[in-house]
Amino acid sequence: MNAARLAALCAVVLASQGCRAFHETAIKQRLTQRRFFAAREVTKPLAEIDTFLTSRKQDVVRSWCELCLISALTNPDGSRTYCLSSHEEESCVVARSTPSGGTRFEPVPGAPMASAQVVRSLWNNVDFEASIAAEVNTEQQIAELAAEEEEQFTPRWSFIAGAKTGAVVSNDPPSFTFGGQVGFRYWGSLFVVPGAVVEVESMIQAGRNLATAGAQGRIELTLWSEENARFVNLPRISFLMSGGPLVGFGKNASLGGRAVFGLHLIHLGRFVTPFFFELGFQALEVDEQTATGLRIAVGLGF
């Protein structure tokens, strides 16, 4: 049992290191936007940039377009909001004149982060030298930015709810389960999300119907992004590990256990895809009838 716990701990540590690598990769992808909006002003005046962008107006957005203007709007304060496309990406930015006669770009307030593809293409066209210089970074810089974001992260809560069906396969007659789960998630860090659920299921084995209930402590490994906040702090996709006691109710109640790992896919971009898959092992014997073995389950839920 101690060896199993040690193996589980090692798996968590190694997976966490993998999440840190994913975090650093995500920072590299966002670094262009961060540096673009934090950069000093572009020396070109707003009127010149406006002329350049409006000349690239396209009535139909084309996937091959390196940089095309979708729309341009003059704001009450005199700044301009440009919605641009680059290949298959679309984003909007605000351009504002500066006292020295240059132009400063800002993200649109309240909007998702601008696409790196659009920002990179825009920066290449309005200030090529600064754009190329911004692409240069060291692994130490990336690691420092990752550590800074992790330290500043604010923990937050979310929920778990879903319905699932599964099967337990062993030398005994197979068991089929139908039920649901409800619980909570707690984002303790950018990529480690502990939680707990209560599961209630109906188990059918050899024509006999039994009820089971269990509590599962779980850990999900994922990566936080600001988009998660728009979906009630639900992770986009997570790798989960869980385990806990399982109670079977027959003529007499009996105690067993269940341990699983799996994948939870909640949404891809703007599309909600609440699907999860679990693979694990359970041990349970009710009224001298055994339901112990490999367990596979699929479900829908958050």
Side-chain angles (χ1 to χ4, degrees), residues 19 189 206 262:
C19 288
S189 73

Side-chain angles (χ1 to χ4, degrees), residues 21-298:
F22 278 122
H23 183 202
E24 292 184 3
T25 300
I27 286 178
K28 290 179 183 178
Q29 294 173 343
R30 300 196 310 266
L31 204 54
T32 299
Q33 299 101 305
R34 290 182 58 173
R35 288 179 171 173
F36 177 66
F37 293 123
R40 293 177 297 177
E41 64 188 62
V42 177
T43 56
K44 296 178 181 178
L46 179 57
E48 182 179 339
I49 289 176
D50 185 69
T51 300
F52 168 74
L53 292 178
T54 53
S55 69
R56 306 179 77 90
K57 180 74 169 67
Q58 294 283 333
D59 294 328
V60 178
V61 177
R62 305 183 189 281
S63 60
W64 50 261
C65 183
E66 191 272 332
L67 181 67
C68 291
L69 178 69
I70 300 172
S71 65
L73 174 68
T74 301
N75 301 315
D77 61 0
S79 63
R80 296 273 281 169
T81 298
Y82 299 103
C83 291
L84 306 161
S85 71
S86 180
H87 300 289
E88 296 183 352
E89 302 288 333
E90 298 179 12
S91 290
C92 299
V93 298
V94 175
R96 190 184 306 278
S97 293
T98 63
S100 60
T103 304
R104 183 177 181 83
F105 288 91
E106 302 171 357
V108 176
M113 179 178 290
S115 158
Q117 173 64 36
V118 172
V119 168
R120 186 176 291 108
S121 181
L122 174 61
W123 206 356
N124 283 342
N125 279 276
V126 299
D127 195 342
F128 182 75
E129 291 183 0
S131 175
I132 296 302
E135 297 291 339
V136 178
N137 53 75
T138 65
E139 294 301 321
Q140 181 63 28
Q141 288 175 317
I142 298 298
E144 289 174 356
L145 287 171
E148 181 181 343
E149 285 193 2
E150 290 159 18
E151 290 174 1
Q152 294 176 350
F153 179 73
T154 302
R156 56 203 76 201
W157 295 88
S158 187
F159 69 93
I160 302 168
K164 59 183 174 178
T165 180
V168 180
V169 182
S170 66
N171 293 328
D172 300 296
S175 303
F176 301 94
T177 62
F178 308 89
Q181 63 184 21
V182 63
F184 69 88
R185 290 181 172 93
Y186 178 72
W187 287 81
S189 73
L190 278 170
F191 40 76
V192 178
V193 187
V197 296
V198 175
E199 299 178 319
V200 178
E201 295 179 337
S202 175
M203 184 175 71
I204 301 174
Q205 184 186 52
R208 186 183 180 192
N209 196 325
L210 302 171
T212 65
Q216 292 269 311
R218 54 189 271 165
I219 292 177
E220 290 178 90
L221 301 176
T222 182
L223 181 60
W224 171 264
S225 74
E226 293 303 321
E227 188 176 352
N228 295 134
R230 299 169 53 209
F231 292 90
V232 204
N233 298 331
L234 294 173
R236 179 190 301 273
I237 182 171
S238 64
F239 171 75
L240 65 93
M241 295 172 284
S242 67
L246 181 67
V247 180
F249 299 94
K251 294 179 181 179
N252 298 296
S254 61
L255 180 64
R258 178 183 292 169
V260 304
F261 65 90
L263 187 70
H264 205 149
L265 179 64
I266 294 180
H267 63 93
L268 284 174
R270 300 180 183 275
F271 300 99
V272 178
T273 55
F275 168 83
F276 59 90
F277 170 80
E278 295 178 355
L279 177 66
F281 179 84
Q282 79 170 37
L284 183 65
E285 182 176 339
V286 184
D287 300 335
E288 299 183 351
Q289 192 164 339
T290 302
T292 298
L294 177 69
R295 180 177 182 275
I296 301 174
V298 295

